[in-house]
Amino acid sequence: VTRDRRDTVPTPLDGGVSQLGRWMSPEEFDKEMSQRFPGCMKGRTMYVIPFSMGPVGSPLSKIGVELTDSPYVVASMRVMTRMGKAVLSALGTGEFVRCLHSVGCPLPLKKPLVNNWPCNPEQTLIAHIPDRRQIVSFGSGYGGNSLLGKKCFALRIASRIAKEEGWLAEHMLILGVTNPAGEKKYMAAAFPSACGKTNLAMLCPTLPGWKVECVGDDIAWMKFDSQGNLRAINPENGFFGVAPGTSAQTNPNAMETINKNTIFTNVAETSDGGVHWEGMDQSLPEGVTITSWKNKPWSSEDGEPCAHPNSRFCTPAGQCPIIDPQWESPEGVPIEAIIFGGRRPQGVPLVYEAFSWQHGVFVGAAMRSEATAAAEHKGKIIMNDPFAMRPFFGYNFGQYLSHWLSMADRPGAKLPKIFHVNW
């Protein structure tokens, strides 16, 4: 929501709808708000969640406060962020991002819930007001549309704050790689959702003597320090990973991480109290049955998946067996390489290095990948996804590119090398 449409999205030459964001005028937004929010929490408990994106007190961290009527949001935000009294003490009278959320289902219900989810899909509105540092979400009870510290704050609002303050808020994992000689380097990598970010962030090396440690699997906030090093933090406190395809074969570290203190959403349930999804590659004990995410008995002959394609696990990052010792370092870790990538069935090399920072920005801008369940709920269509940020830009993409290019003009900046991969 901005005064000028061009502040938010570039205008396509044919005058069509931009794929790089959607715009709403302040007047239209105020009208939509007044039609939805009065009385929307009637009969429910309103929770107040003070939370920090990044380690509490870090110079790279930012604070938000979310109001919500969803217990699911409260439980998930406790995993995904640092929240509570320590955050309020750190905030004092300082600035914070205002986050307002409602499932849009006042009690008593006017109609039965679908699959146990309180939501109002016909009236769903997720709006970002960067000038006010405000996020408003109505009608959706799930994932990034309700856990407002995640994509809404950590990417859309944070990218706008980063532009104003001279840093980068990106859809990137962060990992540390140590070679057999004991030399360690940190890198950040951008992939569209469900393209292996979590698997790469928790990689088990097959090369003797190499070690990989995880700082974060989804979002990186990066800022140059006084010595010119690009420092990065993972603003999140947990992993919100796609469950289908996660197994002891594809990601044993993730499977170990989710053994306890984990919230599963829209997965299947086994009769012995466990969870199940496609690609889990675990045979069930004899006599154990499966109930699908739709709360119906399920078998492999049903012709549909037992878990939703975008079903998730929400788990504390500190439980990861290869979590990096510096993952909560207030000053962040030094980034020496940036990787762009995605799923491309043909025509793109396995790996190549950009000639320069400017060429690397071009490579990021030209990223394409197969569409994901998280983004599109479609089949395998090759789509443009610049910087893996297409659904998450907080301001005009042209200005975003200019901001990235401007990093090369910073005095004393030690620019990371940039690579592109296809796997």
Side-chain angles (χ1 to χ4, degrees):
V1 179
T2 54
R3 176 60 56 189
D4 187 341
R5 185 177 189 273
R6 289 182 181 273
D7 289 341
T8 302
V9 291
T11 303
L13 288 175
D14 60 5
V17 178
S18 172
Q19 293 187 20
L20 299 170
R22 295 181 180 179
W23 174 78
M24 182 181 285
S25 68
E27 292 79 13
E28 184 182 358
F29 169 71
D30 290 340
K31 177 183 176 182
E32 298 290 338
M33 278 277 291
S34 66
Q35 292 174 351
R36 288 167 170 80
F37 276 90
C40 67
M41 294 186 181
K42 183 180 178 181
R44 297 187 180 275
T45 300
M46 186 183 79
Y47 302 91
V48 182
I49 310 171
F51 64 95
S52 177
M53 299 307 293
V56 177
S58 165
L60 296 175
S61 297
K62 300 288 183 184
I63 287 175
V65 176
E66 178 166 356
L67 305 184
T68 182
D69 54 7
S70 168
Y72 161 78
V73 169
V74 178
S76 299
M77 287 288 282
R78 190 179 183 197
V79 174
M80 294 304 299
T81 72
R82 289 90 173 167
M83 64 178 267
K85 290 182 180 179
V87 177
L88 284 178
S89 299
L91 173 61
T93 57
E95 292 186 358
F96 62 93
V97 173
R98 293 154 174 80
C99 306
L100 174 61
H101 169 256
S102 173
V103 294
C105 287
L107 298 176
L109 294 171
K110 295 180 180 178
K111 55 184 179 181
L113 296 177
V114 178
N115 299 326
N116 299 314
W117 277 109
C119 60
N120 190 341
E122 293 81 14
Q123 292 287 310
T124 296
L125 172 72
I126 294 93
H128 309 73
I129 308 93
D131 290 339
R132 297 188 216 159
R133 301 291 193 257
Q134 184 179 359
I135 303 161
V136 171
S137 174
F138 182 93
S140 177
Y142 183 59
N145 291 341
S146 62
L147 312 181
L148 300 184
K150 196 163 177 59
K151 310 294 193 189
C152 293
F153 182 166
L155 288 179
R156 296 188 186 105
I157 291 295
S159 63
R160 167 70 180 267
I161 296 173
K163 174 179 175 287
E164 296 172 6
E165 297 181 353
W167 49 281
L168 298 167
E170 300 299 328
H171 188 205
M172 294 182 175
L173 64 89
I174 310 168
L175 79 165
V177 180
T178 305
N179 68 14
E183 298 169 325
K184 186 171 187 176
K185 295 184 184 295
Y186 289 95
M187 56 196 73
F191 296 85
S193 295
C195 281
K197 268 203 321 298
T198 300
N199 288 357
L200 178 57
M202 301 185 190
L203 188 72
C204 293
T206 55
L207 297 175
W210 288 78
K211 184 178 183 181
V212 170
E213 291 166 300
C214 176
V215 177
D217 77 324
D218 195 39
I219 297 172
W221 286 1
M222 301 183 287
K223 186 176 183 179
F224 286 101
D225 64 16
S226 57
Q227 285 77 46
N229 300 303
L230 185 62
R231 293 268 175 178
I233 63 166
N234 168 17
E236 300 188 291
N237 193 49
F239 302 130
F240 192 69
V242 176
T246 304
S247 70
Q249 285 71 43
T250 62
N251 196 336
N253 287 318
M255 294 299 284
E256 187 172 337
T257 304
I258 64 177
N259 264 337
K260 59 183 180 181
N261 305 321
T262 299
I263 300 169
F264 297 95
T265 43
N266 290 353
V267 301
E269 185 178 11
T270 59
S271 57
D272 61 353
V275 292
H276 199 76
W277 52 76
E278 276 64 37
M280 199 176 197
D281 294 334
Q282 286 185 4
S283 56
L284 296 174
E286 188 174 349
V288 172
T289 59
I290 294 176
T291 302
S292 78
W293 74 280
K294 295 180 179 180
N295 200 28
K296 297 177 181 178
W298 182 90
S299 75
S300 56
E301 286 79 41
D302 284 356
E304 64 177 21
C306 65
H308 189 282
N310 194 30
S311 55
R312 298 278 177 158
F313 55 79
C314 178
T315 191
Q319 293 180 181
C320 179
I322 61 162
I323 198 72
D324 193 271
Q326 296 298 310
W327 85 279
E328 291 193 287
S329 169
E331 65 271 15
V333 297
I335 299 297
E336 297 192 52
I338 292 173
I339 301 169
F340 296 119
R343 296 173 187 255
R344 295 290 295 277
Q346 59 187 15
V348 177
L350 182 64
V351 58
Y352 63 88
E353 181 180 350
F355 295 119
S356 63
W357 180 261
Q358 291 79 4
H359 180 223
V361 173
F362 172 81
V363 168
M367 278 176 60
R368 303 183 76 204
S369 186
E370 289 179 349
T372 71
E376 305 296 336
H377 295 280
K378 294 179 182 176
K380 295 183 177 180
I381 303 168
I382 304 297
M383 297 191 68
N384 295 302
D385 196 347
F387 293 82
M389 282 282 286
R390 185 179 61 84
F392 309 123
F393 290 117
Y395 60 100
N396 187 297
F397 178 53
Q399 298 170 11
Y400 173 92
L401 288 179
S402 296
H403 182 56
W404 262 80
L405 290 168
S406 73
M407 297 296 151
D409 300 328
R410 293 177 172 269
K414 301 172 185 174
L415 298 170
K417 293 183 177 182
I418 297 179
F419 300 86
H420 186 280
V421 299
N422 175 33
W423 50 51

